[in-house]
Amino acid sequence: LHSAGAPSRTHAMSESEIRQRGGASRDLNAARAAFDTGDVDASRQAHEANKIHSTEQHAGESGKYVKSLVFGGLDGIITTFAVVAASVGGSLSTDVILLMGFANLVADGLSMGFGDYLSSQAEFEYTRAEHKREKWELDNYPEGEKQEMVELYVKRGMTESDAQSVIEVMSKYKNFFLDVMMVEELGLLPPDETDSPAKNGLVTFTAFVVFGFIPLTPYVFQGATGGGFTANFVAACFLTALTMLALGAAKAKFTNQSMSKSAGLMLLNGGLAAVAAYLVSWGIASAMGGVSAT
């Protein structure tokens, strides 16, 4: 029931990640908003924005882990709520809901976190190896690398003379040219040595457990609240819906969707998963003549 998916390193970079890699100083969020509304003046203002405010927008090193937090949290809350819905559909007891819920949190959380670590590590090692190879080729046969870039630009519509002029200028700046080669020839971003696959995995696991705990909250505190079986499920639905809306809105930052659309789609995603789990469990329990009383 992995609904949101483990955070992939191939997703579009957030504004903070672009700034950390020395990207454009414009306000990317403002530029995107201007494009969505067709506001040329707003687009001009976004491009002319001074770097004075860049420190306020810079998320720092922690910004690169926000993606893992959001996607890990979405997976956690959706899968755990699906477990709760399936248990309710099968008329299982509160004790069973808690047992299955916490088992899912630990087992699925570990799987998600470790999977994120492995995928991040594999991608990082592959990118670093390709970067090392391209650097070796540039050091030992720069004419061949420059010719490859010229051919790429000619295929994109440049004249050969213009392409040669552009490449000659860029190749004067070796590190810059190497980064351009990575993107143009291989479609890979240059490796970021500050990336930590282990931290990505830890953040994903933590987010999965923390947000996945939310649907279980009414059942954990049932003794204090005095809620009945139905009331606890309604409370779980309400808390889960609010959290999914919030996480869906946060997810919009990495998918370039509107916040309302992203939040609505994530709520629909979680709702469909929960309804499917409920109906399947209810159908099986009914066919078996019931599992247990609540």
Side-chain angles (χ1 to χ4, degrees):
L1 288 170
H2 293 303
S3 309
S8 172
R9 305 305 137 204
T10 58
H11 283 141
M13 289 190 297
S14 66
E15 181 174 355
S16 64
E17 290 174 307
I18 292 174
R19 291 186 183 278
Q20 287 164 359
R21 291 180 180 268
S25 62
R26 66 183 177 183
D27 186 338
L28 289 179
N29 289 331
R32 289 165 180 153
F35 170 76
D36 291 337
T37 59
D39 191 331
V40 178
D41 290 334
S43 177
R44 184 178 294 111
Q45 291 174 8
H47 281 76
E48 294 175 352
N50 194 287
K51 272 191 172 182
I52 293 176
H53 303 294
S54 65
T55 55
E56 297 176 5
Q57 298 171 346
H58 199 294
E61 183 180 352
S62 61
K64 65 180 69 178
Y65 302 111
V66 174
K67 193 185 300 182
S68 292
L69 187 151
V70 171
F71 283 83
L74 284 169
D75 262 319
I77 194 167
I78 291 175
T79 55
T80 305
F81 184 60
V83 169
V84 172
S87 300
V88 173
S91 298
L92 302 179
S93 67
T94 297
D95 289 343
V96 173
I97 292 176
L98 290 172
L99 286 172
M100 293 181 63
F102 281 108
N104 172 77
L105 277 182
V106 176
D108 221 357
L110 285 172
S111 174
M112 285 288 298
F114 194 60
D116 188 14
Y117 163 73
L118 291 177
S119 62
S120 299
Q121 182 70 19
E123 183 170 350
F124 177 73
E125 291 177 350
Y126 172 73
T127 303
R128 186 166 55 180
E130 289 298 296
H131 187 269
K132 185 176 180 180
R133 180 183 61 79
E134 287 289 346
K135 183 178 184 301
W136 182 85
E137 291 180 348
L138 183 60
D139 288 339
N140 290 278
Y141 188 35
E143 295 80 10
E145 290 301 313
K146 287 191 282 187
Q147 183 58 36
E148 286 181 9
M149 292 293 291
V150 168
E151 292 172 357
L152 283 173
Y153 284 179
V154 168
K155 287 181 180 179
R156 293 191 177 189
M158 275 191 179
T159 63
E160 186 169 354
S161 60
D162 283 347
Q164 289 174 343
S165 298
V166 169
I167 297 305
E168 282 301 322
V169 172
M170 287 198 298
S171 63
K172 293 179 181 179
Y173 308 94
K174 185 175 178 180
N175 290 335
F176 167 73
F177 188 51
L178 183 59
D179 288 349
V180 173
M181 287 167 52
M182 287 285 293
V183 174
E184 296 289 356
E185 293 184 13
L186 305 175
L188 297 173
L189 288 173
D192 185 352
E193 296 297 333
T194 64
D195 281 347
S196 173
K199 286 184 179 179
N200 282 322
L202 180 61
V203 170
T204 297
F205 169 74
T206 302
F208 189 100
V209 172
V210 170
F211 287 98
F213 176 76
I214 291 175
L216 299 175
T217 303
Y219 299 96
V220 172
F221 297 103
Q222 178 177 271
T225 61
F229 191 80
T230 301
N232 286 337
F233 184 56
V234 171
C237 291
F238 179 73
L239 291 173
T240 300
L242 286 181
T243 307
M244 283 195 294
L245 286 172
L247 286 173
K251 178 174 175 282
K253 186 176 181 65
F254 308 105
T255 57
N256 295 335
Q257 290 180 319
S258 69
M259 292 179 66
S260 58
K261 180 179 180 180
S262 179
L265 287 175
M266 194 49 57
L267 182 61
L268 178 63
N269 181 12
L272 288 175
V275 169
Y278 180 95
L279 292 177
V280 169
S281 183
W282 173 81
I284 294 175
S286 298
M288 294 173 61
V291 177
S292 68
T294 58

